[in-house]
Amino acid sequence: MTDWVKIAADQEIPKLKISSDSDEPAQGGSAAQTTTNKDNEPDVADPAETSLLIKILGKGLVNTKLSLDVQQKNPKSPLHSVKTFEALHLKPELLKGIYAMGFNTPSKIQETALPTLLADPPQNMIAQSQSGTGKTAAFVLAMLSRVNTDLDHPQVLCLSPTYELAIQTGEVAARMGQFCPEIKLRFAVRGEEVDRNSKLTEHILIGTPGKMLDWGLKMRLFDMKKIRVFVLDEADVMIATQGHHDQCIRIHKMLSQQCQMLFFSATYDKEVMDFARLIVSEPTIIRLMREEESLDNIKQYYVNCKNEEGKYNAIQNIYGCISIGQAIIFCHTRKAAAWLAAKMTADGHSVAVLSGDLTVEQRLAVLDRFRSGQEKVLITTNVLSRGIDIEQVTIVVNFDLPVDLRGNADCETYLHRIGRTGRFGKSGIAINLIDGEKSMTVCRTIEKHFQKDILYLNTDNADDIEKIGT
Ligand SMILES: Nc1ncnc2c1ncn2[C@@H]1O[C@H](COP(=O)(O)OP(=O)(O)OP(=O)(O)O)[C@@H](O)[C@H]1O
């Protein structure tokens, strides 16, 4: 297994673009695929790319005070929680691996999920908890502990939506299993060559659905019926993405009734959860709700502007104020973001830009610079509105208010853009730039929706601007 640690460590994950090969259906955001015609369209986030960014940006375990919601569908399955890893009675080598990773006690989700994940007979699980709360570590531990090294065939399948996410999971497995050299893992991802004439002997396969289908069904390199644990990571992305959805179902159909099904995800839409319930029999469902953003203690303003130039002037007028701390300016399209950035730069302001035309690597570089304060202002699109918290940002400017495809107010995105979670402190300022009746209607709809006043701000008036900071 040690070689495998090296393979995983050698992958320069941020350098890799989300693949454009057929195994990984595009969702409308990756740089490699979308250089044309995207500039004028609403810029949207690719969920798999966002997951990867959050994962790489994540700095250790997110502790949460939120409570768990557990539903037990199988009355026979045990439900208790553990406060220590010792209480799980793991193989000593695995325990050593956990401690070597610096884990002292189980995280909140691990306390409750691990006894069920490791129980005999195996129990199915659908788990939801926010990014960084310890899901990957939990299912990887289950994967490693279920392997029978006396047998030399695949026993565990773990599916991820993209190459990069699969590599991330593999890296965790390699680290956690570093004292179990007899456990063999293999990536089932693009670029991995196999000998068509011999069967796979590795115990754990981690990869993308297309490649897994190729190996399991087309080439018959392993027997799907002998799989004991099936993990669907990022289940929301998997289930909601057409191509992956179909491939996952095909794989799922070939597994035996006894195979333990584990679905993990940071979010589940209602449809995704309904679907998961349909195909996972008698699951234990564990949900640790996301810490919701709130508009409490956010001062919200609107500024009347004539047109784009007018919006730009408003930003000029408030620049001194917004660059005291750090600010994010949201635009609707890549083109608007690029236009604004060029104009501000020409006027001598130091700004960063992050939109969907950047690779994951480039986005990470921009975010790193911004987080370290090298730029005070970040101009972006909806690519950034979800899941990526930047603690020190206190001012958000909506250069364009968020709207859906029909041009109606998108209140959820508004909340994601300007809302704060308890974790990151509550105070903040939101400034909405309005140009015309349509955007005023959107602004009023948002105000009504949240029942929180959005106050008039005259950016030509110095006294008014001073008001923002107080
Ligand atoms: N029990 C623990 N004690 C300390 N650190 C932990 C523990 N479990 C996980 N971690 C660390 O916390 C971070 C987040 O864990 P993990 O990646 O498992 O979370 P996740 O919920 O899967 O997040 P994501 O949805 O982004 O993949 C990682 O750096 C991991 O090494």
Side-chain angles (χ1 to χ4, degrees), residues 123 143 207-209 325 362 374 429 447 453:
Q123 307 295 321
M143 284 161 48
T208 46
Q362 289 165 332
Q374 290 182 60
I429 292 161
E447 185 178 41
D453 290 343

Side-chain angles (χ1 to χ4, degrees), residues 17-19 21 23-24 163-164 188-192 208 211:
K17 285 179 191 162
I18 297 296
S19 159
D21 66 22
D23 196 5
E24 295 172 10
Y163 178 104
E164 293 80 1
V189 291
R190 77 179 128 85
E192 275 293 297
T208 46
K211 195 73 169 184

Side-chain angles (χ1 to χ4, degrees), residues 9-27:
D10 285 349
Q11 307 278 351
E12 288 184 73
I13 295 150
K15 283 223 160 84
L16 303 165
K17 285 179 191 162
I18 297 296
S19 159
S20 56
D21 66 22
S22 57
D23 196 5
E24 295 172 10
Q27 298 195 4

